Amino acid sequence: MPQGTKLEMKAFPWFGMDIGGTLVKLVYFEPKDITAEEEQEEVENLKSIRKYLTSNVAYGSTGIRDVHLELKDLTLCGRKGNLHFIRFPTQDMPAFIHMSRDKHFSSLQTTLCATGGGAYKFEPDFREMADLQLLKLDELDCLIKGVLYIDSVKFNGHSECYYFENPTDPVQCQKKPYNLENPYPLLLVNIGSGVSILAVYSKDNYKRVTGTSLGGGTFLGLCCLLTGCSTFEEALEMATRGESTTVDKLVRDIYGGDYERFGLPGWAVASSFGNMMCKEKRESICKEDLARATLVTITNNIGSITRMCALNENIDRVVFVGNFLRINTLSMKLLAYAMDYWSKGQLKALFLEHEGYFGSVGALLELLNPT
Amino acid sequence: MDKSITLPPDEIFRNLENAKRFAIDIGGSLTKLAYYSTVQHKVAKVRSFDHTGKETEDEPLYEISVQEEITARLHFIKFENAYIETCLDFVKDHLVNTETKVIKATGGGAHKFKDLLEKKLKLKVDKEDEMSCLIKGCNFVLKNIPHEAFVYVKHAEPEFRFQTTHPDIFPYLLINIGSGVSIVKVESEDKFERIGGSSIGGGTFWGLGALLTKTKRFDELLQLASRGQHTSVDMLVKDIYGGAYGSLGLTGDLIASSFGKSATADKEFSKEDMAKSLLHMISNDIGQLACLYAKLHNLSRVYFGGFFIRGHPVTMHTITYSINFFTKGEVQALFLRHEGYLGAIGAFLKGAEEDNPNQYSWGENYAGSSGLMSVSPDMFPMQRTRSGTFDMLEMDRLERQLVNLPLLLDSSSYIPDTMDLTEDAMAREYWLSCFEEALDGVVKRAVASQPDLQDARERAEKFRLKYRHKLQTLRHQPCAYGSLTVRSLLDTREHCLNEFNFPDPYSQIKQRENDLALRYFQKVVRSVEMLNWEDRQFALVKGLLAGNMFDWGAKAVSDVLETDPAFGFDEAKRQLQERPWLVDSYSKWIERLKGPPHKCALFFVDNSGIDIILGVFPLVRELLCRGTEVVLASNSGPALNDVTYNELQILTERIAAMDSVIHSGITKERLILVQSGSSSPCLDLSRLDKGLATLVRERHTDLVVIEGMGRAIHTNYYAVLRCESLKLAVIKNSWLAERLGGKIYSVVFKYEQPSK
């Protein structure tokens, strides 16, 4: 490799980090084209990081590598390698910072690119405890960059973007690839702990339309209080087994059927948790139903705010991302249904395979191609 | 809970013997009953004696009689569902009218109580759609109650900012927060559309709140919420960022994720904090959707109603906060004083279409309405005792349809009242005490006005109790009937007097003074006519001002008039302030008079006797001579010693008989008498008789003269017209005079020309 290029190239390791309210999302590029010479020059420290990250799928008690999302044989800045996707709870951030100190990250010639609110919140800790200087990046910039990049490189030969065909028909409803080649204009809905809704008009022209505090954090927070569970997986698992119609008051519970005057179908929810106003019903309700109702309430609400934004912005394609959708087919199908039904087929709900990792991907790209 | 009715039911379900057309709105916890009744009450009439024969010195000018008159009234009563049986029994026992066969019913409980209604009342239940009743009711109160809508500002003084609503109420957005949320766009009386909604509403707060806090009642949940701290449960922007998210303008205290901090199994959260967090979550969500819909449909008037709101300061505050946040202050959240009655009013109107209530104007009867009461125990602890009591609204059908004065420059920004006593605590204290102190005199006057009626004293005492109670209520709750103003205090007093059949306590005084003043009319005219033009103009204005001193509504003057019968016109002139007056644009007025005559002057007159006869008429005469047509607008009904339309007709006839200018003015229709549509000592230019408005347009009125403290100072002092205006009054109250920087009997002479 010519000397010049080597100097320009960012030194390994290549990380991108997105520190959200609930989860830290980390992407790590593992170079697979390391020459013998490089291997020799590679400091011990760096090698051990690479080995540690790539040979494990779990880190400590809470860190997880989403192996199924790994992007193989990716070419990034002239280097070939695999992109790994790792997450751990934001509450373990102090442990992560301690580890950085203990492993002497600061001795490596790299910049740690970080986005998300935590980049700001934990910056002093990184500096003071681990002697690490963070490069703080705007989370929405990173998000959009990440989405566009991952969609362009494709998911190991498959489409990154997909939608649900026949969303209003539970039997026929099927996941289908979607070509997002001409993405603009686009409504981008990021459902993390809270929700941000962006209208994207081009690569670098976007605005945050609005947001809502009723997001993934609300789903989990309420489920923990209502059912005593403690993880997203648990909550989701209960929701899958539950039934929300025992908890919610439906249009048909009030009107005996459809409310025809206003075109409201009998199955529509008239009042979320409305049945819980009644003491007897509260006493006989099961946790699964409560979890399901919470999921449905939060998801539908995001759906209706999104739909109003799409109308106000005059945009007919919506991409939903964020970790609330991780392993959450229930919500995705619900969103697909809601977009389609209430817009009479005018709105299309799209989803991306790497749900919550786009911010961290954007941060990594910023490291390699600073703007 | 105490289930006894705390007020005698006949004071609640009033006038049942004349009641017909019932409607009922049964909600989750409250029932609202509506009916129409005809009220028989006494009115004072004046009738001219036949003067074709010879004049007799001793015979009074006209005859006063008290007659029975029948007017229409709407009654609305709100009570807790627990009393429904007791109330229905009472209604049944007192219902005389046998024509009534049907009761219109709406609300979620209409179905549940159908059998009970039919069994108890022997009336057929006719169900009406909830939403259309709601909208109909909303249109009705917005059109007929001037201070219906308000903005809520927590911790402000006052917390309620009333909006003057105008006849043009459409289009608007109504957000009804019941167990779910309905968002309705209302475009006209008959055209509305449910454009959206949300399932996260009052039922979610209640249901989810009950699960989280093990608290059963909605009110208790609100109480919990008002004590809680949401920051321990919600994840804020600063919890994620360590501070604000500056580039997006999101402050650190903004909620990033509702309940975001409770996503843990090993922490306990207090009921208060969870309830607060839930309240914020729901209010913000509704506010956000409301804003998105308002924006999409380009609507700026957004009213909120439903049981989630129903006068609860806590929810009004969180909704207001949310709307401000999401629209950056561009849209204001509006609430309604009679929000709880909308369904009942609408259901009633649906059943009364053959009486066509919408073709009339209606007015809130302050005597028979309980006013805005908060149900929030924390805000107003004194009202805690009110649960289990009854809330009432009564509306009187007005004889005439009321409209805006076409000459108002901007009817949408016109506010009649000069001073809002809800905002000014010192002024409020002064005026409330002032009215309290004057009460003895009013009672005395009322008794004296009906010397032949045995029960006058008893009724007068009832009046005293009622009005004193109103004043006390207003001391604690100044916003009970909308903005508190001198006008509303005066009107409330008139309503209370009428309630106890004192339709015109000043009728004899007015008669005596009219009689007396008439004798001096020609003398005054002659003395003015002798003067040169410039002196004459000044003498006329001075005469008008001196005449305006004779006012039984002003305590300082009524004391003088009671004790010193010799106090006359000349004495009044001497008491007047010398020029320059407190407000003095007389020179400008004189300059204007040197120019071409006005086409037509609209003159809002004030008191009977010397004021109208020796003050106003000479000036009217001068205007007619100049070539200006004159429209004299007087009250339709009595208020204090103000001259009424009927009295003025007789007076004008008498003056015409002795004055050729007035006589020819009348016969050539260059001097026209109209009624204002009002029975108040004050003047609301946005609620005037339709006939007056038509005449003003037809005659191309280019000058408006408003006379007296009530009409030109307490109200309309700042009214801006699109034509020339002259507001004049003598300040007959030393407190007010001092406030304006003058002394008692200071003169306000405010002549204005429209800015070009």
Side-chain angles (χ1 to χ4, degrees):
Chain A
M1 189 170 283
Q3 193 75 17
T5 320
K6 202 178 170 186
L7 271 180
E8 277 171 26
M9 198 195 74
K10 284 281 176 193
F12 290 123
W14 292 355
F15 281 113
M17 186 155 66
D18 175 5
I19 313 169
T22 312
L23 283 176
V24 180
K25 284 77 67 177
L26 193 67
V27 291
Y28 168 65
F29 183 78
E30 173 205 5
K32 296 294 267 186
D33 55 358
I34 297 177
T35 58
E37 186 192 354
E38 271 183 310
E39 176 108 35
Q40 240 172 9
E41 277 180 20
E42 192 176 29
V43 293
E44 202 48 42
N45 219 345
L46 187 56
K47 197 171 293 173
S48 82
I49 289 171
R50 179 154 54 91
K51 291 271 153 62
Y52 175 68
L53 289 177
T54 55
S55 58
N56 291 299
V57 291
Y59 316 95
S61 58
T62 56
I64 284 166
R65 181 152 63 87
D66 283 313
V67 184
H68 67 286
L69 292 179
E70 182 177 332
L71 291 178
K72 296 208 162 69
D73 299 325
L74 197 66
T75 307
L76 200 54
C77 276
R79 301 300 302 254
K80 255 187 171 351
N82 297 341
L83 197 58
H84 297 277
F85 297 86
I86 297 160
R87 60 186 152 89
F88 62 89
T90 305
Q91 64 190 46
D92 294 332
M93 217 38 219
F96 181 83
I97 296 171
H98 281 129
M99 187 187 76
S100 309
R101 182 188 58 194
D102 298 345
K103 303 261 181 203
H104 300 288
F105 269 28
S106 57
S107 65
L108 299 168
Q109 293 300 306
T110 190
T111 319
L112 194 47
C113 281
T115 187
Y120 296 81
K121 184 179 175 182
F122 294 104
E123 189 195 19
D125 293 349
F126 270 105
R127 194 176 53 237
E128 285 151 27
M129 298 168 78
D131 193 27
L132 273 171
Q133 200 66 43
L134 289 192
L135 179 59
K136 304 191 296 293
L137 299 163
D138 181 79
E139 63 173 294
L140 302 181
D141 288 342
C142 288
L143 174 68
I144 291 170
K145 233 175 224 139
V147 166
L148 296 175
Y149 174 76
I150 298 287
D151 184 67
S152 71
V153 299
K154 297 238 179 313
F155 183 20
N156 299 328
H158 302 289
S159 176
E160 170 70 14
C161 184
Y162 61 96
Y163 70 103
F164 289 91
E165 196 179 58
N166 305 315
T168 50
D169 182 344
V171 185
Q172 299 284 311
C173 181
Q174 262 189 334
K175 183 174 162 181
K176 290 271 175 171
Y178 186 85
N179 186 347
L180 201 59
E181 239 175 311
N182 300 306
Y184 312 112
L186 184 79
L187 210 60
L188 184 59
V189 181
N190 186 28
I191 318 174
S193 318
V195 183
S196 271
I197 300 179
L198 317 178
V200 188
Y201 299 100
S202 75
K203 183 162 85 42
D204 35 35
N205 178 17
Y206 75 88
K207 66 171 180 188
R208 183 180 188 270
V209 180
T210 190
T212 165
S213 69
L214 285 82
T218 315
F219 165 64
L220 186 54
L222 281 175
C223 274
C224 292
L225 293 173
L226 293 171
T227 71
C229 72
S230 58
T231 67
F232 181 68
E233 288 78 2
E234 260 179 281
L236 213 51
E237 211 268 320
M238 274 195 284
T240 314
R241 281 183 280 127
E243 182 65 60
S244 63
T245 51
T246 52
V247 179
D248 294 340
K249 194 169 263 197
L250 307 185
V251 169
R252 66 163 178 256
D253 296 333
I254 302 174
Y255 296 98
D258 298 348
Y259 191 3
E260 279 162 22
R261 195 180 186 302
F262 296 127
L264 288 176
W267 53 258
V269 184
S271 173
S272 297
F273 286 85
N275 281 340
M276 297 296 94
M277 289 187 274
C278 165
K279 187 166 173 278
E280 290 71 36
K281 288 184 180 168
R282 275 202 301 278
E283 280 161 359
S284 66
I285 205 73
C286 68
K287 290 177 175 186
E288 288 76 9
D289 289 0
L290 290 173
R292 178 66 167 246
T294 310
L295 187 80
V296 169
T297 302
I298 301 295
T299 307
N300 277 340
N301 188 59
I302 294 169
S304 47
I305 292 174
T306 300
R307 204 169 56 79
M308 288 310 296
C309 290
L311 281 170
N312 271 324
E313 301 301 321
N314 202 16
I315 294 176
D316 58 11
R317 269 184 309 188
V318 187
V319 176
F320 291 95
V321 296
N323 268 319
F324 174 64
L325 300 176
R326 192 175 64 79
I327 58 168
N328 187 359
T329 322
L330 219 52
S331 286
M332 286 192 281
K333 286 192 173 172
L334 216 51
L335 285 169
Y337 183 107
M339 290 302 108
D340 188 86
Y341 181 87
W342 295 108
S343 76
K344 301 189 172 70
Q346 297 296 300
L347 268 178
K348 200 168 195 75
L350 305 170
F351 304 93
L352 298 172
E353 298 282 2
H354 287 83
E355 290 125 4
Y357 282 108
F358 300 105
S360 49
V361 171
L364 171 66
L365 296 172
E366 202 50 44
L367 170 73
L368 302 173
N369 296 304
T371 44
Chain B
M1 204 197 316
D2 174 25
K3 294 210 173 173
S4 64
I5 292 177
T6 51
L7 290 170
D10 55 341
E11 281 189 21
I12 299 161
F13 299 99
R14 305 203 311 159
N15 237 12
L16 273 176
E17 57 277 17
N18 301 317
K20 56 175 186 172
R21 287 195 221 297
F22 283 80
I24 196 163
D25 173 9
I26 309 177
S29 52
L30 293 171
T31 296
K32 282 78 67 174
L33 185 73
Y35 57 91
Y36 170 99
S37 79
T38 45
V39 188
Q40 195 169 32
H41 61 98
K42 293 193 166 47
V43 285
K45 293 271 181 195
V46 291
R47 203 178 51 142
S48 187
F49 284 117
D50 185 4
H51 289 285
T52 45
K54 58 181 191 312
E55 294 274 315
T56 51
E57 274 288 301
D58 311 327
E59 198 173 310
L61 175 61
Y62 50 76
E63 182 185 29
I64 303 168
S65 63
V66 171
Q67 293 171 14
E68 295 288 338
E69 201 178 71
I70 289 177
T71 54
R73 182 173 286 176
L74 301 182
H75 302 255
F76 304 98
I77 301 113
K78 183 162 70 184
F79 49 88
E80 289 185 15
N81 286 355
Y83 304 96
I84 195 161
E85 287 208 51
T86 323
C87 289
L88 292 179
D89 282 337
F90 183 86
V91 169
K92 178 67 200 160
D93 291 346
H94 293 78
L95 197 59
V96 182
N97 190 312
T98 49
E99 286 165 44
T100 303
K101 300 267 189 280
V102 175
I103 180 165
K104 289 279 179 190
T106 187
H111 191 73
K112 189 174 153 196
F113 289 96
K114 184 170 180 282
D115 292 341
L116 184 75
L117 284 170
E118 298 199 327
K119 196 181 96 207
K120 293 264 180 201
L121 293 181
K122 308 268 187 297
L123 297 177
K124 191 179 156 292
V125 171
D126 194 358
K127 276 187 74 181
E128 287 289 343
D129 173 68
E130 217 174 323
M131 191 61 70
S132 37
C133 289
L134 200 67
I135 304 296
K136 243 186 169 17
C138 192
N139 292 340
F140 187 79
V141 294
L142 285 176
K143 270 195 289 193
N144 289 292
I145 304 184
H147 282 165
E148 179 59 33
F150 62 88
V151 166
Y152 181 77
V153 193
K154 193 184 175 185
H155 297 318
E157 178 73 41
E159 287 169 318
F160 302 85
R161 297 262 160 83
F162 291 93
Q163 313 284 300
T164 20
T165 41
H166 296 276
D168 186 19
I169 59 169
F170 305 108
Y172 66 85
L173 206 57
L174 178 68
I175 318 281
N176 190 51
I177 316 174
S179 49
V181 181
S182 281
I183 300 176
V184 187
K185 177 185 176 181
V186 187
E187 284 177 283
S188 72
E189 192 60 56
D190 311 299
K191 194 174 170 210
F192 69 89
E193 187 191 354
R194 185 188 189 274
I195 54 173
S198 168
S199 67
I200 301 184
T204 314
F205 179 69
W206 195 344
L208 195 47
L211 286 167
L212 291 172
T213 66
K214 313 278 179 276
T215 302
K216 277 181 286 187
R217 288 180 40 136
F218 180 75
D219 286 6
E220 287 169 35
L221 277 167
L222 279 183
Q223 262 183 289
L224 283 179
S226 62
R227 293 197 301 265
Q229 282 292 332
H230 74 104
T231 49
S232 61
V233 184
D234 289 342
M235 187 183 284
L236 309 184
V237 166
K238 69 178 171 206
D239 293 322
I240 304 177
Y241 273 81
Y245 185 176
S247 62
L248 285 183
L250 305 179
T251 61
D253 287 327
L254 199 69
I255 304 169
S257 175
S258 296
F259 288 90
K261 280 186 195 153
S262 68
T264 161
D266 39 51
K267 232 177 115 184
E268 291 280 315
F269 296 90
S270 80
K271 290 177 178 188
E272 286 83 357
D273 293 354
M274 287 188 290
K276 181 63 171 275
S277 174
L278 185 61
L279 177 68
H280 275 303
M281 175 179 110
I282 290 167
S283 301
N284 286 338
D285 192 55
I286 295 169
Q288 178 170 29
L289 278 169
C291 293
L292 287 166
Y293 279 99
K295 188 181 168 198
L296 188 65
H297 293 265
N298 198 19
L299 297 169
S300 57
R301 272 178 287 192
V302 185
Y303 299 100
F304 286 86
F307 83 70
F308 186 68
I309 301 289
R310 205 129 302 171
H312 300 294
V314 196
T315 56
M316 288 196 286
H317 171 63
T318 51
I319 289 283
T320 301
Y321 179 88
S322 167
I323 294 286
N324 282 342
F325 174 78
F326 285 108
T327 67
K328 299 181 177 74
E330 277 173 32
V331 173
Q332 282 188 316
L334 296 167
F335 304 97
L336 300 170
R337 211 147 60 82
H338 298 102
E339 188 278 320
Y341 288 111
L342 301 186
I345 295 175
F348 171 80
L349 292 173
K350 286 202 160 234
E353 265 152 10
E354 64 187 73
D355 282 341
N356 213 348
N358 267 323
Q359 80 177 7
Y360 297 97
S361 289
W362 297 78
E364 180 179 9
N365 186 314
Y366 293 138
S369 303
S370 8
L372 179 76
M373 288 294 172
S374 170
V375 288
S376 170
D378 283 320
M379 251 2 200
F380 304 106
M382 56 168 288
Q383 269 129 38
R384 194 61 186 148
T385 52
R386 282 186 59 83
S387 83
T389 61
F390 289 68
D391 198 79
M392 290 171 291
L393 165 65
E394 289 186 5
M395 295 188 70
D396 287 327
R397 192 173 80 194
L398 308 178
E399 285 185 32
R400 328 269 298 190
Q401 225 182 327
L402 303 183
V403 296
N404 273 320
L405 178 68
L407 295 168
L408 281 173
L409 182 67
D410 175 16
S411 60
S412 65
S413 66
Y414 168 71
I415 297 168
D417 304 287
T418 306
M419 208 188 290
D420 185 345
L421 303 182
T422 43
E423 281 174 20
D424 188 334
M426 250 171 61
R428 178 168 73 238
E429 182 49 40
Y430 170 77
W431 286 110
L432 284 170
S433 306
C434 185
F435 277 85
E436 225 160 64
E437 282 163 25
L439 194 49
D440 275 342
V442 178
V443 169
K444 212 171 101 191
R445 175 67 44 214
V447 176
S449 73
Q450 298 180 348
D452 307 332
L453 295 177
Q454 293 274 309
D455 63 341
R457 188 166 298 279
E458 192 191 326
R459 279 184 288 116
E461 282 310 314
K462 281 187 182 166
F463 154 76
R464 184 208 298 276
L465 276 178
K466 180 126 201 169
Y467 189 57
R468 182 177 286 155
H469 179 73
K470 292 277 169 196
L471 291 175
Q472 277 160 359
T473 305
L474 288 166
R475 234 177 242 282
H476 296 292
Q477 185 79 302
C479 296
Y481 298 92
S483 288
L484 181 66
T485 60
V486 175
R487 177 168 64 110
S488 72
L489 287 168
L490 284 163
D491 290 352
T492 306
R493 190 166 73 187
E494 296 298 330
H495 291 179
C496 291
L497 281 166
N498 275 324
E499 196 57 42
F500 296 101
N501 272 321
F502 293 107
D504 193 359
Y506 289 86
S507 54
Q508 287 95 341
I509 288 186
K510 287 190 287 184
Q511 184 196 40
R512 202 169 60 226
E513 292 186 348
N514 284 333
D515 212 7
L516 199 71
L518 271 178
R519 295 177 198 172
Y520 293 94
F521 176 74
Q522 281 171 307
K523 194 179 140 209
V524 168
V525 168
R526 272 198 301 275
S527 74
V528 171
E529 277 198 317
M530 280 160 31
L531 303 170
N532 65 40
W533 185 86
E534 194 129 358
D535 289 348
R536 188 165 79 242
Q537 302 313 313
F538 187 64
L540 286 168
V541 165
K542 215 173 152 189
L544 184 71
L545 291 166
N548 196 242
M549 297 266 280
F550 295 84
D551 184 352
W552 285 84
K555 202 175 174 296
V557 178
S558 69
D559 288 349
V560 173
L561 294 175
E562 291 270 15
T563 52
D564 180 11
F567 187 82
F569 194 42
D570 293 325
E571 178 60 24
K573 281 188 197 159
R574 276 192 291 279
Q575 292 270 9
L576 270 189
Q577 184 191 13
E578 292 291 328
R579 284 195 69 197
W581 294 320
L582 185 56
V583 175
D584 193 339
S585 37
Y586 180 74
S587 315
K588 206 169 133 195
W589 168 247
I590 279 299
E591 280 314 302
R592 171 63 187 87
L593 287 186
K594 287 174 185 163
H598 295 92
K599 173 118 202 24
C600 173
L602 170 65
F603 207 132
F604 288 100
V605 300
D606 189 7
N607 306 306
S608 289
I610 292 178
D611 190 347
I612 181 77
I613 296 167
L614 304 184
V616 174
F617 264 101
L619 184 61
V620 167
R621 218 178 151 275
E622 178 76 11
L623 286 169
L624 289 169
C625 292
R626 273 173 64 79
T628 303
E629 294 177 345
V630 180
V631 176
L632 281 184
S634 51
N635 270 2
S636 302
L640 290 168
N641 64 325
D642 291 5
V643 64
T644 65
Y645 175 66
N646 286 332
E647 288 159 357
L648 190 55
Q649 278 178 315
I650 295 170
L651 295 181
T652 309
E653 211 176 282
R654 294 297 302 275
I655 292 171
M658 50 185 159
D659 187 290
S660 60
V661 177
I662 300 295
H663 185 265
S664 107
I666 290 289
T667 48
K668 291 184 180 153
E669 290 192 354
R670 295 185 59 248
L671 171 60
I672 301 162
L673 308 184
V674 290
Q675 45 184 317
S676 64
S678 159
S679 305
S680 163
C682 295
L683 180 64
D684 179 351
L685 296 176
S686 67
R687 280 168 77 79
L688 289 177
D689 191 286
K690 206 175 176 179
L692 185 154
T694 312
L695 193 66
V696 158
R697 256 193 229 103
E698 281 171 7
R699 298 280 166 138
H700 303 288
T701 303
D702 53 356
L703 172 67
V704 174
V705 184
I706 308 177
E707 184 213 359
M709 275 217 311
R711 291 174 184 78
I713 306 287
H714 292 317
T715 54
N716 298 309
Y717 189 70
Y718 298 116
V720 187
L721 301 178
R722 55 172 103 238
C723 67
E724 290 172 50
S725 64
L726 181 57
K727 298 163 189 167
L728 26 75
V730 182
I731 313 292
K732 289 152 287 191
N733 170 300
S734 51
W735 181 87
L736 184 63
E738 258 170 58
R739 264 240 162 173
L740 298 170
K743 284 196 215 115
I744 190 157
Y745 305 134
S746 288
V747 169
V748 169
F749 187 96
K750 196 179 183 195
Y751 167 66
E752 289 163 304
Q753 291 175 343
S755 51
K756 301 216 165 70

